[in-house]
Amino acid sequence: NAGVTQTPKFRILKIGQSMTLQCAQDMNHNYMYWYRQDPGMGLKLIYYSVGAGITDKGEVPNGYNVSRSTTEDFPLRLELAAPSQTSVYFCASSPSPGQGKLDEKLFFGSGTQLSVL
Amino acid sequence: AQKITQTQPGMFVQEKEAVTLDCTYDTSDQSYGLFWYKQPSSGEMIFLIYQGSYDEQNATEGRYSLNFQKARKSANLVISASQLGDSAMYFCAMREGNTGGFKTIFGAGTRLFVKA
């Protein structure tokens, strides 16, 4: 059981380049999330998805795009990389709320360290 | 707007003593979940403890307990008998209810230093 898998682990981009951060989970979770964590700071929600075909903006969506064509995959796209996007990116997943309970914790990937120079 | 506030950027505690990490939250949902996660220097996120908004008793998990005061909208983490391995970043998080789309948001974190 792999859990949440993120690739790549590290990447350096030049300003203006594009890239896709991959995220896959094998737990059949409906909810998937992308967070970014700047050095010494908390996690900011970029986008999230409640199921295949459904995505929604989080706290800091500008400069990013997502898609959710399958339950398993939730890629994050950076179209025109900027230095302000230098950060660690975490993908996470969780089950849907069950019977009004919200006790389902997040399962995290190991993160992608992205530098834009 | 829903948000999580952690007002202590850094905390020091002596080994074997107890420490309280503060967390306040704001939400318009009646049903929500509160979590604490630990992030050691390795960068992984480790789930510590959960408290539901309708839970009447404070949650406990080993040396971790959550001091939940619903009327004050606070969910402080108490770590008893601190160990050197507790040195890490600690994040309070909230899974919002229906109004918030059931998404999870995080506070800015508190860095805990445990002194020998």
Side-chain angles (χ1 to χ4, degrees), chain B residues 48-108:
Chain B
L48 295 178
I49 196 167
Y50 162 81
Q51 178 85 41
S53 59
Y54 289 116
D55 294 340
E56 294 185 352
Q57 291 197 326
N58 288 339
T60 60
E61 290 284 349
R63 295 186 299 110
Y64 304 108
S65 61
L66 200 152
N67 185 359
F68 181 48
Q69 298 187 43
K70 192 170 182 178
R72 299 178 64 179
K73 293 190 173 179
S74 73
N76 299 338
L77 177 71
V78 180
I79 305 175
S80 62
S82 296
Q83 303 172 355
L84 295 178
D86 294 335
S87 293
M89 281 287 285
Y90 289 82
F91 294 103
C92 181
M94 175 172 65
R95 186 165 194 184
E96 303 175 61
N98 186 48
T99 303
F102 299 109
K103 65 183 182 291
T104 299
I105 59 173
F106 284 78

Side-chain angles (χ1 to χ4, degrees), chain B residues 5-67:
Chain B
T5 303
Q6 294 180 254
T7 57
Q8 306 156 312
M11 289 281 288
F12 286 86
V13 64
Q14 197 69 39
E15 191 179 13
K16 300 181 184 178
E17 292 185 348
V19 63
T20 298
L21 306 183
D22 294 341
C23 173
T24 59
Y25 60 92
D26 191 17
T27 180
S28 54
D29 286 308
Q30 295 300 309
S31 179
Y32 50 88
L34 297 160
F35 301 79
W36 279 90
Y37 291 85
K38 173 183 178 182
Q39 187 181 43
S41 57
S42 58
E44 65 193 292
M45 296 292 288
I46 301 170
F47 165 76
L48 295 178
I49 196 167
Y50 162 81
Q51 178 85 41
S53 59
Y54 289 116
D55 294 340
E56 294 185 352
Q57 291 197 326
N58 288 339
T60 60
E61 290 284 349
R63 295 186 299 110
Y64 304 108
S65 61
L66 200 152
N67 185 359

Side-chain angles (χ1 to χ4, degrees), chain A residues 30-78:
Chain A
N30 282 327
Y31 280 70
M32 294 189 75
Y33 307 80
W34 275 106
Y35 294 94
R36 60 175 287 175
Q37 183 180 26
D38 296 336
M41 305 296 285
L43 280 72
K44 292 290 187 182
L45 181 63
I46 305 171
Y47 272 96
Y48 69 107
S49 169
V50 303
I54 306 170
T55 62
D56 207 348
K57 295 178 180 179
E59 302 165 287
V60 289
N62 292 343
Y64 306 94
N65 280 299
V66 293
S67 60
R68 184 95 182 269
S69 57
T70 67
T71 299
E72 293 78 19
D73 299 300
F74 190 40
L76 177 71
R77 178 83 177 161
L78 283 71

Side-chain angles (χ1 to χ4, degrees), chain A residues 64-104:
Chain A
Y64 306 94
N65 280 299
V66 293
S67 60
R68 184 95 182 269
S69 57
T70 67
T71 299
E72 293 78 19
D73 299 300
F74 190 40
L76 177 71
R77 178 83 177 161
L78 283 71
E79 290 294 347
L80 292 170
S84 61
Q85 293 178 305
T86 294
S87 192
V88 177
Y89 292 83
F90 285 100
C91 179
S93 71
S94 69
S96 299
Q99 299 179 339
K101 296 188 66 177
L102 296 169
D103 59 346
E104 297 85 3

